[in-house]
Structures are given as structure tokens and as C-alpha cells.
Amino acid sequence: MGWYVKELSHRERIRRRELLDGAGYISLAAQTLVLVLLPAIRLFVRRLQQANGHHASPPTIGKVKWLLCYTPVLQRYPQMGTPGLWLGAALYTAWQFALALRGSNEDYLHLTKVFGTLAASNLPLHFLLAAKSQTRVHSWIFGNTAHDKLNILHRWLGRLIFTFISFHALLYLQYFWDFDKMTTRFLEFDVVCGVIGFIMMLIIYITSFSLVRHTRTWYFPVFYFTHIVLAISLFPTLWLHVEHIRLHLSLAGFIWLWDYTMRWFSTQWGLAEVSMPEQGSMLEVDIAVNGASTNLAAPGTHIFLTVPGLHRFRGGLRFNPFTIAATSEGGQTLKLVMRLGEGFTKSLLDHTTPTSTYVALENNEDTEEEKSQSIKTAVSFFAPSQSLLPDLLQYSRVLLIAGGVGGSFCVPWVKYLISQLSPEDGVGASEPGPTIRFIWSVKDARETDWALDPSSPSSPETLDGQTFDTALEIYITGEDMRSEGSQKSESTSIPLQNLSTTPQFRTRPNIPEIVNDELMACPEGGNLAVLVCGPPSMADSVRLATGKCIGKRSGVGIWFWEEGFGY
């Protein structure tokens, strides 16, 4: 038993073509059906919760959901995904292979062609999962799931598509070799277009691996531009390759064009001024927006920033994600906080800093006079689809953990919660709000200046002497930890009104102990919200510690959120 090249009659070839096209249409129709059913399923679950009286309770995570959706398959390599992702991927792949074998009747060329058809049928969904524009269609289909979470599925589906394309190319190459067609059919125009398309997809596939994207500073621009340029070039190349997949290409092209059109309409412009604290490693970018940006006022909102004045391979045409650390009332100004690295951030600093100032900064000299000479540069940005977090005011305790620039996500949330707890603007004293605990781990104490400086507009407000159950703990993990005379101190709760005088503890936070303490401090029947934004190692530690607390106390629920742009 095996596949072999069959001699088919004209009628049999027509039948084979019908089966091949049918496999692609079934795949496409099934994907469309699932996308249409997603909003209906969410509506059904919401109505069911309302009927059972659970709609007023904040969302929590049970053991089964945590195991499937939050626990890494391999603890040492969390980027490998979760059991739920692998299970879903295995089922979807098995179904796709079932479509490939359906009606093949051991026909070698049927098997060869169907892999190419199925790969093309997955392209529309692949581009939809990569869409970043904030539209009602996106919200209707995916609900509160933002683009950065869907990107995981986008990467996985891209690898499945490449696997099918590889089967298609290798099986055809074997056929051309066995039947002595390497100097005849292989060199014809449509086949050459197919070979070029396969090489394009091979380059995209290789550069998409995180090992390549994160190994060198210049690799990410290469990854970004190969994805953009080659992905666009694939459309005409595959269109000329074969006509039977043009419906799938048209849908994928329409989704791509729709996404970029929506981005263009939502793009805003402004003037950015870049500053760097003396001897610091953080950049503060203040953007004066042309027009209001009220849709960016929600805490935890992030944008994609572009600096057209930079060289295209240094970020001039690239969208770079950053969380908004602070906004003015009315959204006229935005503040972004970045860690100075060797890529986009260094190019931005070089572009906006006079040479004399930059040399002084490099030599750790006094630059107060030169700081005012910072060059303003034009920037553009747009807000992609955002994840809508639950109402944190419904939880008994809220634990926010930030590492370095992760404070740009947590500080706005702390400010928001305090403002909602204000008797004048929020729930007030009549409705007790959650106990807030904010853990901020930094390498250098100056990394917190943008938030803790009382004169800074982004620092948390003092609310007329009102006392709220809120605490901040700062941990310094850089070289100062090991300096002479420094010693580990037990962390203590610091009232948020005294942020500007917060003591600095030269030690690393004990994540498992902190999460466990918060769980034990929850009242019976209460709920704990854990939010983390920081380096992958910190996020992994918080996730592992939270997972151990799931179900540890009966009647106390836990909800977890990890903010990051790990793609």
C-alpha cells in the first residue's frame, strides 16, 4: 500500500480537481464557521453566568483552565507553549491531514497538490491572526483578546502552513526527478514562480524563530522587513503559480489591506522629546499629540510607535510597541518609558540628542544645560487592539509586580485604582475597595524617578491626605546590592502617598512568598488579582508561584495576567 503516480482519464482528472478544491473550501468554511460561532459562544456563556448569578463575581482561574492555558509544557522553556495550545494544535493538524487524505485513493499527485491547497486555505486565517488594527470586527470576533495574545496562534499556524508547503514542494521535486522533468517542466514559468514562493516562505520561516529574532540587534529589523516585504511579494508570486488558490489569496490579501487601511486611518502624529536621566539607562519620551487621544487614557494601554526620521533599518519604518506610562487630561501629551538598548532606543537617542550632549552623557558629565537642547522629532503611532481586563475594583486584593520598565504598565493601574477609591471620584468609603500591593524590582533606583518624583506629572497623585490600603515596595537588584554597607532588608509596606520618600531595599523580591502572603491575606470568599509586567524570567517566576496557589485556599479565587510583547 502506498501512493503512486496514476494515469487518469480526463473525467478522473476533473474529479480530482473537484476533490482538491473541495478540501480547500471545506477548510476555509470550517474556519469561517468557528470565527462566526465565537461571539455566539461568548454571548451564551455570559447569559448562562447571569442566569446562575455569577455575572457579578470577578473572573478567576480554575485548576483545569490553569493547567491547559497557563502551565508551560516545559518549565525551562515556557516559549514552547501550554498543553492547551498543543492539544488544540494537534487536533487542528489531524483534521487538516484528514482533509488531505480524503479521496486521495493512493494518488501521488493528488497528495502532492492537496498540501499546497490546504496551505493556501489557511492564509486568510493566518493574516487575520496577525492583524493589529483596533476595529469593531476584531472585537466582535475575538472579544477582549488583543493582538499580542493572538500572535501565538499566528506563529503556530504559520509553521503548519510552511510544513504543508514543504511537503508540496518536496513531493513535486521528487516527481520531477523520478520522471526526468528537471530540465523541462521544472523550468516552466508557473513552476519557477512556485519555487520562488517556497524560497520566500523559507526565509520568513527561518527568521521568525525567537532564537534568530533575539540573538543580535540587527536580526529583528531583518525579521521585520522580511515579514513585510516577502509577505506582500508572495501574493503576486503565488497568484502566477496556480489559479486554483486565487480565492484564498484574494481573501488573505483583502484582510491584509483592510488591516493596514484601518491602521492608516487610526494613525496619529506628534512631536517627541527624548530625555535620559544622568548616568541612567532609561529613556523618557514625551509626545505632544496633534489632537486629542482620549482612547489612550485607559491604564495599561500600549501603542505602536514609528519615527520616520530614523533610518529604515533602525526603526524608521518599523512599529515598536510601548506601554503608555502617563497621559495628560484630554490626551494632549503622552509619556513613554524605555530601557536604553543597542537597537531602536539607541538610534532614537542618537537622533534626538546633540553631539555635545551625547558625549557628555557617555562621559557621565553634567549635562543640565545641554538637556534643554534636546531635538524634537516627528513621530507617528497607532493604538492596536487591546486586551480589556476585568474590573480590578471587584477583587479583595490586587498584587502588581513590575520589573524595570514594566512599571510603565503597573503605575497607571495603581493611579487608576487610587482615583476610583477617592470619595469624590470613585467608590468612596461606602464601598471598600481592594487592598493594593505594588512590587517594583529595578536594577538602579533612578529607573523609578519618572514615577516617584513628586514634580513629575506621571507620578501617583496625593489625594488630599486620604488613607487607602495601598503599599509600594521597591527592590534594587543592580550593582548597588553588592556595594559595601548594603544589606538585605525585610520589605515593608509604604503608603502610596509617600512614594517620593519610599525606602529602597537592596535585595531581590521573594516572589513565591509574596504571592502566597497575598493569598493568605485574602478574606474568606474573596478574590486575588495578580498582574505582572517585566522580564521573561520574572514573569515565569510569578506564573509558577501563582499556579501553586490555585486551589490552595478553598473559597478564594485567583486571576492572573501577564503583560508583555514577547514576539
Side-chain angles (χ1 to χ4, degrees):
M1 178 180 177
W3 282 269
Y4 58 96
V5 178
K6 291 185 176 182
E7 292 292 335
L8 302 180
S9 64
H10 178 69
R11 183 182 297 273
E12 289 174 327
R13 290 189 178 187
I14 294 177
R15 176 57 180 165
R16 180 172 68 184
R17 173 48 51 195
E18 291 174 348
L19 289 172
L20 291 171
D21 293 342
Y25 297 149
I26 291 173
S27 175
L28 184 62
Q31 297 167 14
T32 305
L33 179 63
V34 171
L35 294 177
V36 171
L37 287 177
L38 283 177
I41 294 173
R42 287 197 303 271
L43 179 61
F44 173 77
V45 172
R46 192 180 304 118
R47 294 283 177 83
L48 188 63
Q49 290 176 339
Q50 291 176 351
N52 295 333
H54 297 311
H55 63 283
S57 302
T60 56
I61 303 172
K63 284 186 175 181
V64 175
K65 184 177 180 180
W66 183 270
L67 176 64
L68 291 177
C69 303
Y70 293 88
T71 305
V73 174
L74 298 175
Q75 290 291 348
R76 292 187 61 184
Y77 303 99
Q79 66 271 18
M80 293 293 292
T82 62
L85 176 63
W86 279 87
L87 178 61
L91 292 175
Y92 187 84
T93 303
W95 174 65
Q96 289 279 299
F97 270 101
L99 284 179
L101 300 178
R102 170 181 166 268
S104 63
N105 295 322
E106 301 181 5
D107 183 355
Y108 182 89
L109 288 180
H110 178 105
L111 187 67
T112 303
K113 295 172 184 288
V114 76
F115 281 124
T117 301
L118 290 176
S121 71
N122 282 280
L123 286 176
L125 179 59
H126 185 60
F127 277 86
L128 182 63
L129 292 172
K132 294 179 174 60
S133 56
Q134 191 175 48
T135 63
R136 291 184 179 181
V137 176
H138 187 283
S139 301
W140 180 74
I141 295 175
F142 298 113
N144 298 331
T145 306
H147 70 93
D148 51 310
K149 308 303 178 185
L150 295 175
N151 189 265
I152 299 174
L153 300 177
H154 166 76
R155 294 199 303 265
W156 170 82
L157 187 58
R159 287 161 188 163
L160 178 63
I161 291 173
F162 180 75
T163 300
F164 284 167
I165 286 293
S166 299
F167 286 158
H168 174 73
L170 293 175
L171 289 174
Y172 250 126
L173 186 62
Q174 183 67 39
Y175 167 73
F176 291 147
W177 180 267
D178 290 344
F179 287 83
D180 198 21
K181 296 179 180 288
M182 294 296 293
T183 57
T184 55
R185 182 73 178 96
F186 182 73
L187 300 179
E188 293 183 11
F189 179 74
D190 60 326
V191 178
V192 171
C193 287
V195 173
I196 294 175
F198 174 72
I199 294 174
M200 289 180 178
M201 295 193 72
L202 177 62
I203 295 174
I204 293 175
Y205 179 72
I206 292 175
T207 56
S208 68
F209 280 99
S210 59
L211 180 63
V212 175
R213 285 184 286 136
H214 300 155
T215 300
R216 293 289 186 270
T217 302
W218 59 271
Y219 279 1
F220 184 78
V222 171
F223 152 76
Y224 185 87
F225 283 100
T226 54
H227 258 61
I228 300 298
V229 176
L230 296 184
I232 298 173
S233 303
L234 271 176
F235 288 112
T237 304
L238 297 181
W239 187 277
L240 296 174
H241 174 55
V242 61
E243 63 178 10
H244 307 295
I245 62 173
R246 289 178 180 175
L247 172 63
H248 309 300
L249 292 175
S250 299
L251 290 174
F254 172 78
I255 292 172
W256 176 85
L257 185 62
W258 163 76
D259 178 46
Y260 271 80
T261 301
M262 293 299 101
R263 291 193 205 181
W264 184 81
F265 278 113
S266 61
T267 296
Q268 294 180 270
W269 289 81
L271 281 178
E273 184 174 6
V274 181
S275 60
M276 183 175 72
E278 189 177 349
Q279 301 182 15
S281 60
M282 310 291 286
L283 294 184
E284 298 179 21
V285 180
D286 295 287
I287 303 175
V289 183
N290 295 337
S293 301
T294 54
N295 61 321
L296 303 178
T301 301
H302 64 276
I303 60 173
F304 277 86
L305 181 70
T306 302
V307 184
L310 293 182
H311 187 277
R312 65 184 60 187
F313 286 103
R314 295 185 178 182
L317 296 178
R318 193 171 73 234
F319 297 107
N320 303 272
F322 294 103
T323 302
I324 297 176
T327 61
S328 64
E329 187 174 353
Q332 296 295 331
T333 60
L334 309 176
K335 176 181 281 292
L336 309 178
V337 180
M338 314 171 184
R339 181 176 296 281
L340 181 61
E342 294 296 326
F344 168 78
T345 52
K346 188 174 188 300
S347 300
L348 178 61
L349 179 64
D350 293 344
H351 180 67
T352 57
T353 305
T355 304
S356 59
T357 305
Y358 185 74
V359 171
L361 288 170
E362 287 287 316
N363 296 331
N364 294 330
E365 298 174 1
D366 186 15
T367 61
E368 290 300 323
E369 181 178 348
E370 289 90 342
K371 280 181 181 179
S372 61
Q373 302 175 6
S374 177
I375 302 172
K376 293 184 179 181
T377 185
V379 298
S380 64
F381 63 89
F382 74 93
S385 57
Q386 312 276 336
S387 293
L388 184 60
L389 274 60
D391 184 6
L392 297 184
L393 293 169
Q394 294 182 316
Y395 291 88
S396 306
R397 302 185 73 88
V398 177
L399 173 62
L400 299 108
I401 302 177
V405 292
S408 61
F409 171 78
C410 293
V411 168
W413 270 111
V414 174
K415 293 174 61 179
Y416 165 77
L417 292 172
I418 292 178
S419 67
Q420 294 301 303
L421 293 173
S422 168
E424 296 181 0
D425 304 323
V427 296
S430 60
E431 299 181 25
T435 299
I436 307 166
R437 187 178 181 186
F438 181 17
I439 307 296
W440 198 352
S441 177
V442 294
K443 291 183 178 180
D444 192 305
R446 286 166 294 203
E447 296 181 14
T448 65
D449 288 347
W450 64 270
L452 305 188
D453 183 1
S455 63
S456 172
S458 59
S459 63
E461 304 92 332
T462 299
L463 298 174
D464 299 327
Q466 296 293 333
T467 302
F468 305 107
D469 201 353
T470 308
L472 167 67
E473 301 167 21
I474 293 181
Y475 296 82
I476 301 176
T477 62
E479 293 182 0
D480 289 342
M481 268 183 71
R482 299 181 294 273
S483 62
E484 185 178 356
S486 64
Q487 55 184 334
K488 293 187 176 181
S489 305
E490 294 296 329
S491 60
T492 58
S493 296
I494 308 301
L496 199 58
Q497 289 76 6
N498 299 327
L499 286 179
S500 59
T501 59
T502 301
Q504 301 163 359
F505 303 101
R506 306 185 189 282
T507 180
R508 298 185 183 277
N510 189 333
I511 298 297
E513 180 180 338
I514 290 172
V515 176
N516 185 74
D517 288 347
E518 289 301 300
L519 175 67
M520 294 298 109
C522 268
E524 191 66 29
N527 297 290
L528 168 66
V530 181
L531 299 88
V532 58
C533 183
S537 57
M538 169 178 278
D540 295 341
S541 299
V542 177
R543 189 190 310 108
L544 181 62
T546 305
K548 293 180 179 179
C549 291
I550 297 289
K552 189 174 183 179
R553 280 192 63 190
S554 178
V556 177
I558 298 179
W559 177 79
F560 174 80
W561 181 260
E562 177 187 348
E563 182 75 6
F565 308 117
Y567 53 84

